[in-house]
Amino acid sequence: MALTREQMAQRVAQEIQDGSYVNLGIGIPTLVANYIPDGIEVMLQSENGLLGMGRYPYEDEVDADMINAGKETVTAIDGAAIFDSAESFAMIRGGHVDLTVLGAFEVDVNGNIASWMIPGKLIKGMGGAMDLVAGAENIICTMTHASKHGESKLLSQCELPLTGAGCIRRVLTDLAFLEIKDGAFHLLERAPGVSVEDISRLTAGKLIIPDHVPEMQLDA
Amino acid sequence: MALTREQMAQRVAQEIQDGSYVNLGIGIPTLVANYIPDGIEVMLQSENGLLGMGRYPYEDEVDADMINAGKETVTAIDGAAIFDSAESFAMIRGGHVDLTVLGAFEVDVNGNIASWMIPGKLIKGMGGAMDLVAGAENIICTMTHASKHGESKLLSQCELPLTGAGCIRRVLTDLAFLEIKDGAFHLLERAPGVSVEDISRLTAGKLIIPDHVPEMQLDA
Amino acid sequence: MAGFNKVVTSYADAMAGLKDGMTVIAGGFGLCGIPENLIQEIKRLAVTDLTVVSNNCGVDGFGLGVLLEDRQIKTMIASYVGENALFEQQMLSGELEVILTPQGTLAEKMRAGGAGIPAFFTATGYGTPIGEGKEVREFDGRPYILEEAIKGDFAIVKAWKADRYGNVVYRHTARNFNPLAATAGKITVVEVEELVEPGELDPADVHTPGIYVDRVILGKFEKRIEKRTVRTR
Amino acid sequence: MAGFNKVVTSYADAMAGLKDGMTVIAGGFGLCGIPENLIQEIKRLAVTDLTVVSNNCGVDGFGLGVLLEDRQIKTMIASYVGENALFEQQMLSGELEVILTPQGTLAEKMRAGGAGIPAFFTATGYGTPIGEGKEVREFDGRPYILEEAIKGDFAIVKAWKADRYGNVVYRHTARNFNPLAATAGKITVVEVEELVEPGELDPADVHTPGIYVDRVILGKFEKRIEKRTVRTR
């Protein structure tokens, strides 16, 4: 079975290391925060200028001046820091964020990512995505493995305009967890009940399949 | 009579406009703060990170963490701001300081200034001087008109290594107040009792002398 | 009054001098920390052919969105503009020129504009449409593109508190682009929720030193919330 | 203990990993806000061939000056070095390489190093010996030179207070180069006068967010004054 959005978030959360600074993009990446294991302390960076993003506010805590990069009302944890956008992207561009999780339309075997623009459709802008992919050493891309029409999004070469070149190393799809290196996708894990053949069929870029491909371990 | 250091500071102080941000270099420029007229409000910028530098502290106010760019203990006025060195030089380089007053070894008819290095002598470094002369729109250079041996310091072309190129517009020496434009020194005022002939003799660079050269008006 | 009283008492005075064709840099992220009333004053002034630099362009009927209604904006430099139907319409019709700029590059361009840095290299956007036509150079084996600074004729800024010297503090994440905008305007106007006496702001906690600020005005703010996300007890 | 306790309890732990030939960026201006004890620990470690980046090089017997006694510094990058006889001697004898850098350029190089900006243009130094051999380019008709970022293997920083996350505030003008150094070290070590609990520092007033800081240590400081200027009542 393909992973649900929640399961994808859960699997990504397993990759988060204790004491790390993490930027979570909009969509599935945002859900990751709900699955960070007990005993793991993580500092969430929100690129509008907040390090130490906390939970959503209770109704009586809502403050128009306290939002995250998704423009949602949030709170700050004890030990948070707030700063301007230049400082925020100094952190990001300067490689100080340990892990970035973001969505994509396409990735390819050379680690290119396309996530912001579909020619012919309305262009909304890249926001901070180009800075995030250029700055983070460690990025996990979350996306569905293929379109609803069965077209692979893991390609030999991205067809859409890029968000960043050669910057993605790990991809978590609804079907598989993969590493990108040496010009290929390397299959690390498969979603429970998903066959290597299904993954192979839906991966357009070169796919390296090891002898044994374990199933992901997910709670519940 | 050539001006004293105090008189030079006094004359420079007359150039300071109400509501302006001013950076005063070490030496004679520092003395300028003592002569700012009543009713003129000035904010002094010290490039180690203080906007709103105040008077020297009383003995019981001395604080090792509160110094100026000359490394002297100082105080901050009400309404001061303290910031890091990058922010301080963002102000300076970005042209936000209204007036900079600093010393020099030599200036020339093209507004070049040499103030930091004498080949063969020990080099101490330029500190913030190169940033200040590159950043300020409005600079007054304070210096003696000639060396003790009678050699002019107002030249056709600076002989010492430059601090900045084409950046000086006004020079206040112990003998005269001059403007630099169109490749010449323009004599604006002379020190009380100093003759135009004396100034002319001690000015190596091209000097434009108007029909009437008023004496400086100094108090006391 | 001595020369350091930057407080003005009318929005007309606050935006005096704004003319057709000028460049206006605005603080704010989404609808958070936007200079609501200064924007309204620009609408009232009916100036046109503006170049507006801001991370976003408000929403229909609020924030910078109101400047679209009478087609006052000619060129918009922003990183994300997806919240605004009128914007889409004018962009698609070609009435509005849009220069999309990565968020971090936009912030750095404003900072550079204020800091006397005319251009800088960044890896952001290399290999993407944003890098096309820009100089590429390698440092330590990695390619970077050259980006130029942005300066404005006006910068419009929303802050929390200011004193008469123009020293400013921002509240929570309403800081965002505001301090950067403040440095990059030939004339920088700050509207605040509270005026304080000099000395009330701790010098160490001033976010924007007064040297960057030309005018301060006390305003009232709606502070509209874009996405009210709450948890229940 | 969870991963965010950056507090170490010995200076040996604070500087663990420092090796011969490394680059160390140090905060401080003159003797104000210098990491006194971290410098002493570098002396104790007897590492050599260091490149040290700091606005000044201390005085004889105090601050970075102590690293000259055993010739631990190979290259010094600084803006002003005139307070130190031993420095002069080693510079004149050629034992010590000195790269003089304008103060604002030095600050901006550190910031750039931390901010992922490999190089930037500045007018500072154009037409002077500092500009020789550097690329010149005109923007808006004015010439600028290209300057490259500086990064350190270690950054050593003196601050006032920190929490266990490494969030830091500085006291008065002891801030100076410290926040910039903090961003530019592969390993950034901050020594402080006071440790506080997370939440005690107002998030809006944190000067160096903890993301830049690797280790925090509580120290005792002499805080020597270079020029005690006082007025009498």
Side-chain angles (χ1 to χ4, degrees), chain A residues 45 48-51 81-85 87-88 91, chain C residues 175-176, chain D residues 209:
Chain A
Q45 205 262 13
N48 59 316
L50 172 58
L51 185 69
I82 291 173
F83 33 82
D84 66 46
S85 301
E87 179 70 56
S88 185
M91 287 175 195
Chain C
R175 190 179 323 181
N176 56 63

Side-chain angles (χ1 to χ4, degrees), chain A residues 44-106:
Chain A
L44 297 177
Q45 205 262 13
S46 190
E47 65 264 27
N48 59 316
L50 172 58
L51 185 69
M53 180 169 65
R55 56 172 175 73
Y56 290 136
Y58 294 115
E59 188 66 45
D60 58 4
E61 293 174 324
V62 168
D63 187 327
D65 291 336
M66 184 62 93
I67 67 167
N68 66 16
K71 294 161 190 168
E72 300 170 327
T73 48
V74 291
T75 57
I77 65 164
D78 280 350
I82 291 173
F83 33 82
D84 66 46
S85 301
E87 179 70 56
S88 185
F89 283 93
M91 287 175 195
I92 290 168
R93 204 192 305 103
H96 302 279
V97 174
D98 297 308
L99 175 66
T100 286
V101 184
L102 43 63
F105 301 145
E106 297 174 349

Side-chain angles (χ1 to χ4, degrees), chain A residues 87-164:
Chain A
E87 179 70 56
S88 185
F89 283 93
M91 287 175 195
I92 290 168
R93 204 192 305 103
H96 302 279
V97 174
D98 297 308
L99 175 66
T100 286
V101 184
L102 43 63
F105 301 145
E106 297 174 349
V107 294
D108 71 26
V109 295
N110 293 313
N112 297 320
I113 172 174
S115 67
W116 72 286
M117 177 186 177
I118 299 178
K121 283 204 182 180
L122 191 74
I123 298 167
K124 296 192 165 199
M126 70 295 286
M130 285 190 183
D131 306 281
L132 282 159
V133 299
E137 299 262 316
N138 195 353
I139 301 172
I140 298 177
C141 213
T142 61
M143 58 196 299
T144 53
H145 208 99
S147 73
K148 285 168 191 164
H149 311 296
E151 291 163 303
S152 177
K153 298 179 177 179
L154 278 61
L155 308 176
S156 296
Q157 191 167 354
C158 286
E159 289 161 11
L160 296 170
L162 296 189
T163 307

